[in-house]
């Protein structure tokens, strides 16, 4: 049995140490905080935990090896090596101080250096022991001497190599004053779960070895110069340093290497030499204000270096290791020759005494009497203190309860003690002494005796158990216990029950108030056990005394009861039924409700005790719920959270009230700690936490407050900052609840609340919504696969909510947009399709945008969710949601293209879309995959768009040109010429979009017709010209053979007219360049297009600025090319000349006079002179 118990204890010990180490490793890995100071704080805690764990872990590993449990040793050794590697990487990955987080960085670095000292001590030997002497062992120490041999992997050689590298790194920190730049090494990834434990050891050596080699390389260069100069210094010029030590970190480094020198004799010489060389070359004041040491810090470090050298020189090991010479030189150079000589003399005496005879040692003890006398005085004071404590304990036992029985530690023991002593009750009351006034025995008397550990009984010899009901009551014990009122106290106005129950409640309330208001620190000091017992007793009584109200003479409890009732009554987030249940609970358990919010009452001073009492109340409620099966826990937590929300609400409404602001910050600060200390959290409580993010009221109040003086503006800013900080704490509380509790419903509720804040379901300002969005995406989704699924469920629910919201507001938005359209005169040309057209539509879109943004962010990580997004956006009457999604589609498209590739994501989205309304969103998605600026769409995206076009054929089997419009800017111009008929055949909107996208990257060449410059043997498809300029569009439109592509002539002419009507795109210069290019080609023998003269006539009607050019340049040029030989073109020329002949500013009469005689006669016969 004993061996089994030992094995079980060893297993439990190893398991606890393993959890401890893995928790430390988790803190050392990059965490979930976006701020550097939070990351530094968590990493510092991990380093402190690692420093406390390494010695117990190594002792446990040694015990397992000694017991031949190699597997057990490996189970602890692997995570231990990961832990050490993680701490070293925290030290070596850091850089010079960031002024915004200097204190956190310095604290983390100091912890890592202290851990470096511990590693050197654990992974080094204490050295040989002198013959005939015993080494003084410390139970909490560990060295390589304590590690048994025989393990195939965990050997002294491996650990000694780690210790040597750590010592070299520590020496480098001392001599350099910082860490030299090392080669990059892999990021810290715990590998303790892999099969080969050598991997974790190699990872550790790979981490610390470069840092040690960086210093050893510099030290080797110094050693080469040491032959010429024994005191050669390190050449610091040109050294690349990762970080510099601050004064605090440097002081800890010097203490660390001094401790290593004194506790590990084999390391003494190297450590002493490092300190001496640095003392001879002390740190200088830094010229930079951001890194290095100040003047005062440099002086302080130099002083500590000299003191450390003097201490090591006084140690006998300086003589034994022959390191006193360099220490002596360093101190003499610092001007401390006298002190150094004395210290060396003492060290030599101590070294000589270690090998001297007993007689010599006894004679030498006389000279050290001054050291012993101080120790004797200390021991004497300690003995006196121990004797005083023993006397006090004896006195307590002498006057304690039950003649020496100590105070029970819990309620069960107290009840057993009472029942046990009932048989010892005397039949008659003991008579008090005549010369002492008898004290009345009541419930207050009993409570005083319990809380004072029997001290209050010294005032009266009567004992607590002599109470028999008081003078007003008589007690009869027969078959049962019966109380009756004496005739003196009872007059028949009411029954005994009506008289007895109020008396009991009043007595209970008075006793309870005395327990609450009792200050344990005044009588018994800071007795934590007694305080805990007081809180346990108060919590149990509060939930037991149903219907007992706080006494009137207790203002704290009454104020807390009023606050609890007002908090529930004024809670806007709770439903009416839930609010009535909470009010009923507050009335049924007034004392419990008062204790829950006692911390937040106006007159409370003992806030710490009240906060502990509130936690105890919540835990007691949980126990009551398990015992009685009611909802005590949920009700208690809801009352507690309602009070916090009520105080925050009042603080937001009154930003100038500093007391309210301080109280609101106080109640919110410990929210996460309180919630994670109870077994579970209800959904309603999490909803109340979410309401803390509703701080819009403070912005309104601050706007009025900030209109005054500068001081009022500063107060308004401080109030706003405090409110935003409280809202952030609420988000952190939701995060902690999601990660802390294992119950799926609680986790889902916490995630729902966080997502609800991010999507605007819970009111909050935009900056808090952004933080909630980051919490949902960067923490909850990224850190846990379980929580990621919950985030998706919550986001899908929010998307469904806003979809229904859009459907409900469809008619309202439609009516408002119609009114706005009438005010604008019905002009839709200049109205952006993605911009809200009315205030009502803008409001609806703003309410839906956060939910859409969150869901689109999730779609980037899981593209399959795009199907749900498009399905909801494509529902009937959900047009506003579709408009909102299309307005923010660019962010999702760019992010998805970066994560999955533009072509892949385009094909994937096309596969999951089917309905017509979903096609609209697919087109918007493709359009955003090809931005208007930046690099051209690659060939894979172009191929993907053509594949989608082939897959999405219409019922008639025709291809939809809309699918390739996003990539037309990257298509060769020859291919675009072939696609022009399909664009013209589509609707005017599609046709206009194609014209814009073809020329969007050629705005500087809008008036240019580019030449192909094809060499011999090349076809048009091999040309490098992509896109189509505006000039080229007009030229190719005129050259289009509409009959050969089965295009109606009317649609062909309308296509050209649409271009001319797009004044903002096809300007005067563009039209001039296109007409001029065609006319030049006409002179070279090319036939004029059919619609050419028609376009000139329309240009005359629309562009008056081109009249002069047409009269002076174009019309004569056409005559030069014998335009009159083509009947249709000649008819158009004559009409154009007639239109310009009668104008006053410019006239075509010059061109008309240039006509040949016959053509002039024909012209005048049709258009005679005016």
């Amino acid at each position: 049995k004993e061996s089994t118990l030992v094995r079980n204890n060893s297993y439990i010990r190893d398991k606890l140490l393993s959890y401890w180490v893995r928790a430390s490793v988790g803190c050392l890995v990059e965490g979930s905080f976006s701020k550097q100071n939070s990351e530094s704080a968590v990493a510092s805690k991990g380093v402190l935990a690692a420093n406390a764990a390494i010695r117990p872990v190594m002792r446990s590993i040694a015990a397992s090896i000694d017991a031949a449990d190699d597997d057990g040793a490996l189970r602890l050794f692997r995570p231990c090596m990961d832990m050490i590697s993680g701490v070293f990487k925290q030290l070596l990955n850091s850089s010079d101080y960031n002024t915004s987080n200097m204190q956190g960085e310095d604290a983390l670095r100091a912890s890592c250096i202290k851990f470096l000292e511990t590693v050197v001590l654990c992974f080094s030997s204490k050295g040989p022991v002198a013959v005939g002497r015993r080494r003084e062992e410390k139970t909490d120490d560990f060295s390589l001497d304590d590690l048994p041999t025989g393990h195939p992997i965990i050997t002294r050689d491996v650990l000694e190599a780690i210790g040597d590298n750590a010592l070299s790194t520590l020496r480098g920190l001392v001599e350099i004053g910082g860490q030299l730049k090392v080669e990059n090494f892999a990021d810290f990834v715990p590998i303790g779960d892999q099969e080969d434990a050598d991997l974790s050891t190699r990872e550790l050596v790979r981490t610390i070895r470069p840092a040690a080699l960086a210093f050893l390389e510099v030290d080797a260069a110094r050693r080469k110069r040491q032959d010429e100069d024994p005191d050669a210094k390190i050449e610091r010029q040109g050294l690349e340093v990762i970080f510099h030590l601050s004064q605090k970190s440097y002081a800890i480094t010097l203490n660390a290497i001094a401790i290593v020198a004194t506790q590990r004799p084999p390391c003494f010489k190297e450590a002493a030499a490092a300190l001496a060389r640095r003392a001879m070359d002390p740190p200088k004041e830094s010229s930079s204000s951001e890194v290095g040491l100040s003047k005062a810090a440099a002086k302080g470090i130099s002083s500590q270096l000299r003191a450390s050298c003097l201490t090591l020189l006084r140690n006998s090991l300086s003589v034994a290791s022959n390191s006193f010479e360099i220490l002596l030189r360093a101190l003499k150079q610092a001007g401390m020759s006298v002190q150094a000589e004395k210290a060396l003399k003492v060290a030599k005496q101590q070294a000589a005494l270690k090998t001297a005879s007993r007689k010599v040692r006894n004679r030498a003890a006389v000279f050290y009497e001054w050291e012993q006398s101080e120790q004797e005085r200390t021991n004497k004071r300690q003995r006196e203190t121990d004797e005083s404590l023993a006397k006090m304990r004896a006195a307590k036992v002498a006057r304690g309860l039950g003649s020496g029985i100590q105070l029970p530690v819990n309620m069960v023991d107290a009840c057993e003690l009472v029942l046990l002593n009932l048989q010892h009750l005397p039949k008659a009351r003991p008579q008090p002494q005549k010369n002492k006034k008898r004290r009345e025995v009541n419930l207050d008397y009993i409570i005083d005796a319990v809380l004072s550990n029997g001290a209050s009984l010294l005032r009266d010899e009567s004992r607590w158990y002599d109470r028999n009901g008081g003078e007003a009551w008589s007690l009869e014990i027969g078959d049962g216990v019966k109380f009756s009122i004496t005739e003196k106290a009872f007059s028949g106005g009411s029954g005994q029950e009506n008289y007895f129950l109020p008396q009991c409640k009043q007595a209970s309330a008075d006793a309870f108030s005395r327990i609450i208001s009792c200050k344990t620190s005044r009588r018994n000091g800071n007795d934590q056990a007694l305080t805990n017992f007081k809180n346990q007793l108060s919590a149990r009584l509060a939930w037991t005394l149903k219907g007992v109200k706080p006494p009137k003479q207790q203002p704290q409890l009454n104020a807390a009861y009023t606050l609890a009732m007002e908090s529930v009554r004024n809670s806007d987030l709770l439903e009416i039924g839930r609010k009535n249940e909470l009010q009923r609970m507050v009335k049924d358990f007034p004392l419990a409700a008062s204790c829950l919010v006692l911390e937040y009452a106006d007159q409370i001073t003992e806030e710490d005790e009240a906060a502990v009492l509130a936690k105890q109340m919540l835990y007691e409620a949980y126990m009551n719920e398990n015992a009685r099966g009611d909802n005590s826990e949920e009700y208690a937590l809801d009352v507690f959270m309602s009070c916090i929300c009520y105080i925050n609400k009042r603080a937001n409404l009154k930003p100038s009230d500093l007391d309210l602001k301080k109280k609101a910050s106080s109640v919110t600060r410990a929210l996460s700690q309180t919630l994670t200390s109870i077994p579970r959290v209800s959904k309603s409580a999490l909803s109340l936490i979410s309401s803390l993010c509703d701080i819009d009221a403070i912005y309104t109040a601050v706007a009025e407050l900030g209109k005054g003086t500068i001081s009022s503006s500063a107060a308004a800013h401080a109030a706003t900052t405090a409110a935003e900080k409280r809202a952030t704490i609420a988000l952190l509380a939701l995060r902690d609840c999601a990660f802390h509790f294992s119950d799926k419903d609680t986790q889902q509720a916490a995630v729902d609340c966080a997502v609800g804040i991010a999507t605007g379901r819970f009111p909050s300002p935009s900056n808090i919504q952004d933080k909630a969005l980051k919490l949902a995406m960067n923490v909850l989704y990224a850190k846990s696969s379980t929580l990621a699924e919950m985030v998706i469920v919550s986001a899908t629910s929010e998307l469904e909510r806003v979809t229904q919201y859009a459907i409900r507001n469809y008619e309202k938005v439609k009516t408002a947009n119609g009114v706005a359209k009438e005010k604008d005169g019905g002009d839709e040309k200049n109205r952006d399709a993605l911009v809200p057209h009315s205030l009502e539509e803008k409001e609806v879109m703003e309410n839906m945008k956060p939910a859409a943004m969150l869901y689109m962010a999730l779609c980037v990580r899981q593209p399959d969710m795009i199907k749900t997004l498009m399905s909801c956006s494509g529902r009937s009457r959900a047009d506003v949601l579709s408009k909102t999604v299309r307005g923010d589609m660019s962010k999702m498209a760019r992010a998805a293209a970066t994560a999955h590739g533009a072509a892949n994501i385009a094909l994937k989205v096309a596969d999951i879309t089917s309905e017509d309304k979903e096609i609209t969103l697919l087109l918007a998605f493709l359009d955003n995959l090809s931005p208007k600026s930046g690099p051209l769409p690659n060939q894979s995206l172009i191929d993907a768009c053509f594949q989608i076009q082939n897959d999405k054929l219409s019922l008639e089997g025709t291809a939809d040109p809309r699918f390739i419009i996003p990539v037309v800017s990257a298509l060769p111009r020859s291919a675009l010429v072939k696609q022009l008929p399909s664009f013209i055949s589509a609707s005017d909107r599609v046709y206009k979009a194609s014209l814009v996208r073809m020329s969007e990257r050629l705005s500087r060449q809008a008036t240019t017709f580019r030449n192909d410059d094809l060499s011999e043997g090349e076809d048009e498809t091999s040309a490098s010209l992509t896109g189509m300029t505006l000039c080229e569009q007009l030229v190719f439109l005129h050259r289009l053979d509409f009959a050969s592509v089965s295009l109606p002539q009317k649609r062909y002419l309308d296509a050209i007219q649409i271009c001319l009507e797009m004044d903002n795109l096809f300007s005067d210069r563009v039209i001039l360049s296109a007409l001029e290019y065609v006319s030049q080609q006409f002179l070279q023998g090319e036939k004029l297009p059919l619609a050419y003269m028609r376009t000139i006539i329309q240009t005359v009607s629309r562009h008056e600025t081109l009249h002069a050019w047409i009269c002076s340049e174009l019309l004569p040029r056409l005559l030069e090319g014998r335009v009159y030989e083509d009947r249709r073109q000649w008819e158009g020329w004559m009409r154009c000349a007639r239109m310009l002949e009668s104008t006053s500013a410019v006239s075509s009469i010059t061109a008309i006079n240039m006509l040949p005689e016959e053509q002039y006669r024909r012209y005048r016969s049709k258009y005679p002179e005016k």
Side-chain angles (χ1 to χ4, degrees), residues 478-496:
D479 296 336
V481 179
K482 181 179 180 182
F483 288 93
S484 60
I485 304 176
T486 60
E487 296 180 357
K488 179 179 179 181
F490 174 62
S491 58
S494 60
Q496 292 190 13

Side-chain angles (χ1 to χ4, degrees), residues 863 893-894 896-911 922 925-926 929-930 937-948 951 967:
R894 289 196 298 267
T898 303
H900 309 284
N904 295 333
I905 195 65
L907 293 173
K908 189 173 186 63
V909 174
D911 291 339
L922 171 60
F925 184 79
L926 294 176
L929 281 179
S930 176
N938 53 31
Q939 187 61 39
S940 60
L941 179 59
I942 296 173
D943 297 339
C945 290
F946 276 99
Q947 182 178 345
I948 294 171
D951 295 339
V967 294

Side-chain angles (χ1 to χ4, degrees), residues 613-758:
L613 177 60
K615 295 179 184 179
Q616 186 65 39
M617 291 296 302
L618 294 173
Y619 183 77
E620 192 66 32
Y622 170 76
M623 300 302 296
N624 287 340
E625 180 176 344
N626 291 338
R628 300 197 300 261
D630 56 7
N631 294 327
S632 301
E633 182 196 11
E634 290 189 9
Y635 292 161
L637 187 56
D638 287 353
V639 171
F640 180 74
M641 288 307 308
S642 297
C643 178
I644 295 178
C645 296
Y646 178 65
I647 293 175
N648 277 269
K649 181 179 179 181
R650 289 172 58 193
N652 292 337
L653 294 174
K654 297 180 180 180
S656 59
D657 193 334
L658 298 180
D659 293 335
L660 266 179
K661 184 182 75 171
K662 181 179 179 181
K663 183 176 294 185
S665 301
S666 176
V667 302
T668 311
R669 191 179 302 116
L671 185 58
S672 295
Q673 183 181 1
T674 302
L675 292 176
T676 53
S677 64
I678 57 179
R680 59 173 176 258
V681 179
S682 62
K683 295 181 180 180
S684 56
L686 293 172
S687 299
L688 289 171
I689 294 174
S690 303
S691 67
L692 295 177
C693 296
D694 184 9
I695 58 175
D696 290 332
I698 198 169
Y699 293 112
T700 304
V702 161
E704 297 295 331
L705 181 63
K707 293 180 180 179
T709 62
I710 297 177
S711 59
S712 61
S713 300
H717 175 72
T720 305
T721 304
E724 293 175 352
K725 185 177 181 180
R726 295 195 296 269
T728 305
I729 292 176
L731 293 177
L732 296 178
L734 293 175
R735 178 204 64 185
D736 294 341
C737 290
F739 282 103
H740 176 76
F741 295 102
S742 58
D743 179 44
K744 300 297 183 183
D745 294 336
T746 304
Q747 288 181 320
Q748 185 67 60
V751 172
D752 289 343
C753 291
V755 172
I757 296 171

Side-chain angles (χ1 to χ4, degrees), residues 43-70:
S44 297
K45 293 180 180 178
V47 175
L48 293 176
N51 198 13
I54 184 170
R55 285 190 176 95
V57 168
M58 293 306 300
R59 286 198 296 270
S60 180
I61 291 173
S64 299
I65 296 175
D66 192 35
D69 184 9
D70 291 350

